[in-house]
Amino acid sequence: MNKLTNVFNHNSNLLSIYFTAGFPNADSTLHVLKALEQGGTDFVEVGIPYSDPLADGPVIQNSSSRALANGMSLKMLFDQLKELKNTVNIPVILMGYLNPILKFGIESFIENCRQVGVSGLIIPDLPYEIYLEKYQTLFEQNNISNIFLITPQTGEERIRKLDRASTSFLYMVSSAAVTGVRDGLSESQIQYFERIKNMQLKTPAMVGFGISNHKTYREVCRYAHGAIVGSAFIKHLETHGDDASEIIKFVKNLKNN
Amino acid sequence: MSENYLKKYPTKEGFYKEYGGAFLPPALEEEMKKITDAYFAISKSHNFISELRSIRKHYQGRPTPVYYCNRLSEKYGGRIYLKREDLNHSGAHKLNHCMGEALLARYLGKKKLIAETGAGQHGVALATAAAYFGLECEIHMGEVDIAKEHPNVVRMEILGAKVVPVSKGLKTLKEAVDSAFEAYLKDPVNTIYCIGSVVGPHPFPMMVRDFQHVVGVEAREQFQDMTGELPDSVVACVGGGSNAMGIFSGFIDDEEVALYGVEPGGRSMKTGDHAATMMKGKPGIIHGFKCYLLQDEDGNPSPVYSIASGLDYPGVGPEHSMLKDIGRVNYDMVTDKEAIDAFFELSRLEGIIPALESAHAVAYALKLAQKDPRKSVLVNLSGRGDKDIDFVVENYGKQYGIE
């Protein structure tokens, strides 16, 4: 069974953390992963830096530029991840844009993912239809879960389709401007979470935007299986570097307050 | 070329053979589907078409003329004709698709138009369209281009648009596109990203081509009226490729007409010194679509450069990418130096100051004319050069006798 699926079968209130490979330093990737596990992160998303992302905010974009300047590439990342299985037990997902993956060669990319022990992939600009047509078999043969994104604008019919095709979790994001934030979550966010919750999908859902503290993390967990923290952790790395004890403290504060 | 090329491409999903498509995060994907549906529903309606036609005639001043270059032809040989898109209102072909996009935006109930601009021609055209329709307008422009194309920045501001300076990366066109996408993603419901060329995700390459098609339709008829025949060659510059798709689409089913797309050869063929995407690129994905792409070995877009701010883009229209592969269009390039020479030649022999972008097409036409003096060549003179005069005089004036 896929490690990631397993985590969802046995836990709720999951905490996932995103960071960019090669940030703040080229060799930070494994240190950060290890510290995140020690702090109690349930699974980690490692971002593959790309110069022209269409779905990242300024904080993550900035970390990607720095990582690219540090020389990070898919080749370097897979070299580092050769030690992944000896470093952490929690599932690891890669998140990256399609062009660097195509340039690397998608077959060999998936093959590398399996070999180093990556459990899942988020490729925001790979359309669902093209995944089905061209890549589903490849992913399945290598036991790599493809994670789909849904937004407040995604229609019910499409969500049902994605639910059926999912093998791990659905990633709930929001692109629309968040206005009128009160006490962590806005009313439109809550409506969106409730709408998804009421659909009673077979696939667990994780919420991933604007979560920066324990309070919002707990609130989000009322509606979903857990939360994904990205920008807030990148900011932490910007300030504190990849110091393990600081990372552990960050995760513990987030999870347990 | 088979009949009805324009009906054959793109496919329903926006593909031109392997190129095009919509490789987008879901939030944008949903919006593009809405725009596609709306475009198909609205753009073929009688009211939309008659409103657009009325705008073209009474507001833009179309049809723009086709003009025979007497002195230029005498000097270089051949028969050189220009399709005068520089005489289109706001000074470039860009207004053709901007009025279409803005009209569509109004039908969709959008409040604000967002776009990138390189040389500022698309920005000015969109700001013009926004003023016409009473919509808000926000233009993203690289800081390098803002400095270089100052007159166009002022024009946009006079027209009531907000110009957002982009300070990332090389601070030119690619970064402006990134920034415009980012702004659009913040509120895709009330805003619309009016892409400035035949690039970006489906339906934009198709929509922009369809709105630019008028250039080719007019030119074909005018040329036949003037000469009783079709031109031997049609030449246009290609950055993203909107003016080229406009004029090519009018002749694409005429197999006897040779089509030439001219890319910016810049200073040299070293990476970062040119933007000859078709000549040096490999298929890849940028800004949500597949095309020939100048990219590094890790799949990040390469730095690009051209003297013409409207041409320095590492990608190119998906339809151009296909037309290269199937061999219907010949793609070649012209250097900065050749473009500057042509800029002065056209100014001094015909009294027409071309945009530096369009000067690339003129330069190539001069080569064709010299090569075969018996043939006719029709150039899409996509824009006028007022925006470029300060830059040209400051950097090249002395060489051409301006102290």
Side-chain angles (χ1 to χ4, degrees):
Chain A
M1 181 183 274
N2 187 305
K3 236 180 182 176
L4 190 61
T5 320
N6 207 26
V7 168
F8 279 96
N9 286 345
H10 295 95
N11 305 281
S12 55
N13 299 352
L14 296 174
L15 176 66
S16 173
I17 290 187
Y18 169 94
F19 74 99
T20 307
F23 178 81
N25 308 309
D27 59 0
S28 297
T29 317
L30 289 176
H31 297 301
V32 175
L33 272 167
K34 192 167 178 143
L36 286 174
E37 179 175 54
Q38 284 171 346
T41 311
D42 294 293
F43 66 95
V44 180
E45 281 171 51
V46 179
I48 303 160
Y50 176 57
S51 65
D52 296 76
L54 285 181
D56 295 336
V59 174
I60 292 178
Q61 274 187 43
N62 187 41
S63 70
S64 292
S65 312
R66 291 234 338 241
L68 288 171
N70 289 341
M72 183 45 68
S73 65
L74 269 177
K75 198 178 162 297
M76 185 192 273
L77 179 59
F78 282 127
D79 274 347
Q80 295 178 347
L81 293 182
K82 278 180 188 152
E83 289 303 313
L84 180 66
K85 288 178 190 163
N86 303 325
T87 310
V88 293
N89 285 316
I90 51 172
V92 170
I93 296 171
L94 297 187
M95 176 161 180
Y97 289 84
L98 190 52
N99 200 52
I101 296 172
L102 292 179
K103 190 76 185 166
F104 188 84
I106 193 157
E107 279 88 7
S108 112
F109 173 76
I110 299 281
E111 173 74 18
N112 272 275
C113 285
R114 184 180 58 76
Q115 277 172 6
V116 300
V118 165
S119 305
L121 291 173
I122 302 172
I123 307 174
D125 57 346
L126 172 61
Y128 168 69
E129 284 77 13
I130 292 186
Y131 165 72
L132 283 193
E133 188 191 318
K134 289 190 167 170
Y135 305 122
Q136 190 179 24
T137 320
L138 182 68
F139 277 59
E140 285 176 1
Q141 280 168 353
N142 289 280
N143 199 20
I144 304 286
S145 179
N146 186 27
I147 292 132
F148 302 110
L149 283 74
I150 56 177
T151 77
Q153 281 84 40
T154 313
E156 172 157 0
E157 197 188 329
R158 183 145 184 107
I159 295 176
R160 297 268 176 222
K161 255 192 217 170
L162 299 178
D163 182 35
R164 283 193 293 273
S166 286
T167 52
S168 53
F169 71 95
L170 288 169
Y171 191 150
M172 293 169 67
V173 292
S174 170
S175 64
V178 180
T179 49
V181 177
R182 281 196 315 269
D183 245 3
L185 298 177
S186 73
E187 269 173 31
S188 66
Q189 283 175 313
I190 291 173
Q191 278 171 14
Y192 164 48
F193 300 157
E194 280 181 337
R195 178 166 72 90
I196 304 299
K197 193 179 179 186
N198 292 336
M199 285 179 72
Q200 307 207 330
L201 305 172
K202 79 165 175 65
T203 316
M206 296 284 286
V207 171
F209 54 90
I211 299 155
S212 57
N213 55 41
H214 177 72
K215 192 170 173 228
T216 23
Y217 159 64
R218 289 301 300 184
E219 261 193 80
V220 158
C221 287
R222 286 166 50 196
Y223 305 97
H225 268 71
I228 300 166
V229 175
S231 299
F233 183 60
I234 300 283
K235 276 188 195 156
H236 170 91
L237 292 176
E238 270 174 16
T239 320
H240 301 276
D242 57 6
D243 181 84
S245 60
E246 290 291 341
I247 293 174
I248 293 167
K249 214 193 300 173
F250 175 90
V251 179
K252 288 197 163 148
N253 278 338
L254 205 55
K255 208 166 178 183
N256 314 311
N257 203 19
Chain B
M1 196 61 27
S2 60
E3 278 300 297
N4 275 324
Y5 166 91
L6 292 176
K7 289 200 169 146
K8 198 167 161 195
Y9 300 107
T11 64
K12 198 160 68 57
E13 292 78 26
F15 282 96
Y16 305 83
K17 301 227 186 263
E18 66 168 299
Y19 304 103
F23 296 88
L24 293 171
L28 279 171
E29 197 182 9
E30 307 267 339
E31 285 306 311
M32 289 303 141
K33 278 184 186 151
K34 278 188 219 161
I35 294 173
T36 309
D37 290 347
Y39 176 71
F40 280 121
I42 295 164
S43 70
K44 307 295 175 210
S45 73
H46 181 79
N47 289 349
F48 186 93
I49 291 169
S50 51
E51 187 167 0
L52 194 58
R53 288 194 161 214
S54 163
I55 288 170
R56 283 173 179 166
K57 184 172 175 192
H58 301 292
Y59 183 66
Q60 295 178 232
R62 299 201 72 87
T64 58
V66 164
Y67 166 75
Y68 174 63
C69 298
N70 210 351
R71 294 187 65 211
L72 203 63
S73 303
E74 209 166 89
K75 177 167 174 187
Y76 286 88
R79 284 167 287 138
I80 302 165
Y81 296 81
L82 305 177
K83 172 64 173 166
R84 297 289 308 274
E85 286 303 295
D86 60 319
L87 295 176
N88 195 29
H89 179 46
S90 88
H93 71 290
K94 295 287 186 193
L95 194 62
N96 299 333
H97 64 249
C98 286
M99 293 310 282
E101 287 176 325
L103 183 59
L104 185 71
R106 201 191 61 188
Y107 274 79
L108 289 168
K110 304 279 183 183
K111 297 185 181 70
K112 185 170 165 184
L113 311 177
I114 296 176
E116 86 295 345
T117 198
Q121 295 300 81
H122 176 65
V124 167
L126 196 67
T128 304
Y132 180 95
F133 288 106
L135 299 165
E136 283 177 64
C137 184
E138 180 181 302
I139 302 295
H140 295 247
M141 189 169 185
E143 283 179 345
V144 167
D145 293 335
I146 287 182
K148 189 164 148 194
E149 310 286 357
H150 183 68
N152 271 346
V153 177
V154 177
R155 287 170 81 198
M156 287 185 267
E157 286 171 345
I158 289 173
L159 290 161
K162 183 181 164 200
V163 179
V164 179
V166 180
S167 57
K168 281 184 193 155
L170 292 178
K171 306 170 190 179
T172 60
L173 185 53
K174 185 199 74 170
E175 292 77 17
V177 177
D178 291 340
S179 172
F181 262 114
E182 211 176 294
Y184 174 51
L185 260 170
K186 284 186 187 146
D187 187 8
V189 177
N190 293 307
T191 63
I192 182 168
Y193 182 7
C194 296
I195 289 182
S197 189
V198 287
V199 297
H202 181 61
F204 281 96
M206 170 188 71
M207 252 167 49
V208 171
R209 175 195 75 186
D210 291 355
F211 289 137
Q212 289 295 346
H213 184 50
V214 62
V215 176
V217 171
E218 284 175 10
R220 189 175 186 278
E221 194 184 316
Q222 290 164 321
F223 196 92
Q224 280 187 310
D225 265 359
M226 285 172 89
T227 67
E229 57 183 26
L230 290 171
D232 293 308
S233 315
V234 174
V235 181
C237 64
V238 177
S242 59
N243 90 80
M245 265 336 295
I247 197 155
F248 291 169
S249 65
F251 296 92
I252 204 138
D253 288 327
D254 300 316
E255 278 176 53
E256 68 272 34
V257 179
L259 306 176
Y260 295 91
V262 184
E263 296 200 302
R267 296 179 282 238
S268 82
M269 286 324 286
K270 277 202 316 232
T271 299
D273 270 2
H274 66 87
T277 305
M278 303 274 231
M279 311 295 295
K280 293 283 171 188
K282 291 269 168 0
I285 292 168
I286 183 172
H287 295 137
F289 69 105
K290 190 169 179 192
C291 63
Y292 275 91
L293 177 67
L294 292 166
Q295 53 186 324
D296 65 19
E297 57 179 327
D298 298 323
N300 291 297
S302 300
V304 285
Y305 158 83
S306 164
I307 193 173
S309 303
L311 301 180
D312 58 354
Y313 185 63
V316 65
E319 191 162 12
H320 286 293
S321 303
M322 175 188 78
L323 289 169
K324 173 186 162 76
D325 283 3
I326 65 178
R328 176 63 186 97
V329 178
N330 307 291
Y331 293 91
D332 206 335
M333 63 187 172
V334 149
T335 64
D336 279 0
K337 173 79 176 64
E338 292 169 321
I340 286 287
D341 279 342
F343 175 92
F344 279 101
E345 283 295 89
L346 189 66
S347 299
R348 291 177 177 182
L349 289 170
E350 299 291 344
I352 297 169
I353 304 174
L356 283 176
E357 290 75 15
S358 323
H360 283 73
V362 174
Y364 198 77
L366 299 183
K367 289 188 191 182
L368 288 178
Q370 283 172 312
K371 211 188 296 174
D372 199 340
R374 285 163 308 167
K375 290 197 168 160
S376 61
V377 47
L378 171 64
V379 180
N380 194 9
L381 196 75
S382 54
R384 68 177 186 224
D386 305 42
K387 67 185 176 63
D388 297 313
I389 55 177
D390 292 343
F391 173 81
V392 168
V393 168
E394 193 175 312
N395 293 279
Y396 301 91
K398 270 198 182 148
Q399 299 166 40
Y400 295 87
I402 305 169
E403 290 302 325

